[in-house]
Amino acid sequence: MQPGVAWIIGGGSGIGAAVTKKLAAEGWTVAISGRREDKLAAVAGGNPNIRPYPLDVTDKDAVEAMVRRVASELERIDLFLFGAAAWQPMDAGNYGFDEFLKTVDTNYLGVLRIAQPMIEQMRKQGAGHFAVIASVAGYFGLPRSAAYSSTKAGLINLLETMRTELAPDNIKVRMVAPGFVKSELTDKNDFPMPFLMETDDAATRIVDGLTKSDRFEIAFPKRMVWLMKTIRFLPYPIFFSLMKNLLPK
């Protein structure tokens, strides 16, 4: 894919910020959005290729208006990447509504609020790449991660459907599934994180996957991906026996 216009939701920190800087360095014009204006300004850092557009993805009217604004000011959106995420470790057996609400509202409904107006824009311009950062945590239900894991599983399912349905419109739907990556989110974790990756390494893999291929799934690191996929296909008695070992002692 040749450099064009990209828009990254969650571009003010973590993976999103690192992806933004790499795309800008490769000649892309990158719009970045998030709730924290100071973080967006810091990432932009006076770089004319990076344009901050503050946005709260839980505000439907603001999301729809921002799609129109970005498309108008930058003329088109060749690559869209949704990377906003909410995550909080939960106590085992806690399924309280309030604990789930923020995670579902940001991770899953945030994508749905922007999907239709973004797809309409890509249809109008004749093509586009619609990408969402899910997680290997979405491959199966993880103890103490019920809200986060279920939203990521929902996103994977949604994106699989969109990939098929939007292909006739020349819209390529992409799913990014990282393992553990150093960020503000993983800093909250109080458990071992196997194959923990540096943010820049993860960003390089995402940028290369998005710009040098059209494949649906961009998942890494490979050792963790294959481990998670192997566990997903185990017979349930074995699967639940393994999951029991992940509960707090």
Side-chain angles (χ1 to χ4, degrees):
M1 193 192 323
Q2 295 299 313
V5 176
W7 184 13
I8 299 178
I9 306 293
S13 63
I15 295 175
V19 169
T20 295
K21 293 174 182 178
K22 289 185 182 298
L23 286 174
E26 293 182 7
W28 287 75
T29 297
V30 188
I32 55 172
S33 293
R35 290 178 300 169
R36 297 176 293 182
E37 295 187 34
D38 57 330
K39 294 286 188 181
L40 297 177
V43 173
N47 187 330
N49 285 349
I50 303 176
R51 317 283 183 86
Y53 289 89
L55 178 66
D56 181 351
V57 297
T58 67
D59 185 335
K60 182 175 181 291
D61 291 339
V63 166
E64 293 176 353
M66 190 60 76
V67 173
R68 293 192 295 269
R69 179 183 167 191
V70 172
S72 174
E73 294 184 3
L74 302 183
E75 299 184 355
R76 58 185 293 114
I77 303 166
D78 300 291
L79 170 61
F80 172 77
L81 176 63
F82 188 98
W87 152 252
Q88 186 64 46
M90 301 176 68
D91 294 332
N94 177 15
Y95 311 107
F97 180 82
D98 290 339
E99 285 80 353
F100 272 72
L101 180 58
K102 179 180 178 181
T103 303
V104 174
D105 204 17
T106 299
N107 297 2
Y108 190 78
L109 296 182
V111 173
L112 288 179
R113 289 186 187 96
I114 205 165
Q116 194 61 40
M118 179 58 59
I119 290 163
E120 289 172 359
Q121 169 59 32
M122 290 182 172
R123 282 176 174 148
K124 185 167 71 172
Q125 65 193 33
H129 290 251
F130 184 98
V132 176
I133 297 180
S135 171
V136 296
Y139 289 148
F140 57 80
L142 284 165
R144 296 190 63 206
S145 185
Y148 184 81
S149 183
S150 61
T151 59
K152 296 302 184 178
L155 284 176
I156 293 171
N157 188 297
L158 172 67
L159 294 167
E160 289 171 346
T161 300
M162 293 173 68
R163 176 80 174 197
T164 301
E165 294 181 342
L166 296 179
D169 295 313
N170 202 25
I171 298 173
K172 294 181 172 63
V173 176
R174 327 287 297 277
M175 189 274 290
V176 182
F180 292 112
V181 178
K182 290 183 179 179
S183 69
E184 293 179 25
L185 295 182
T186 54
D187 285 345
K188 300 177 183 179
N189 293 346
D190 58 359
F191 52 82
M193 293 179 282
F195 314 119
L196 181 65
M197 299 179 64
E198 295 293 335
T199 308
D200 282 346
D201 185 11
T204 296
R205 296 182 188 221
I206 292 171
V207 170
D208 286 349
L210 291 174
T211 63
K212 297 179 181 179
S213 80
D214 287 338
R215 68 181 186 271
F216 171 71
E217 183 184 52
I218 302 167
F220 56 86
K222 293 301 182 185
R223 288 176 296 173
M224 187 167 190
V225 171
W226 286 114
L227 174 63
M228 299 291 274
K229 288 189 174 184
T230 298
I231 293 173
R232 180 179 66 179
F233 289 115
L234 289 173
Y236 273 131
I238 300 175
F239 171 80
F240 289 124
S241 178
L242 285 174
M243 291 302 102
K244 183 171 63 177
N245 293 326
L246 299 181
L247 292 172
K249 301 299 181 183

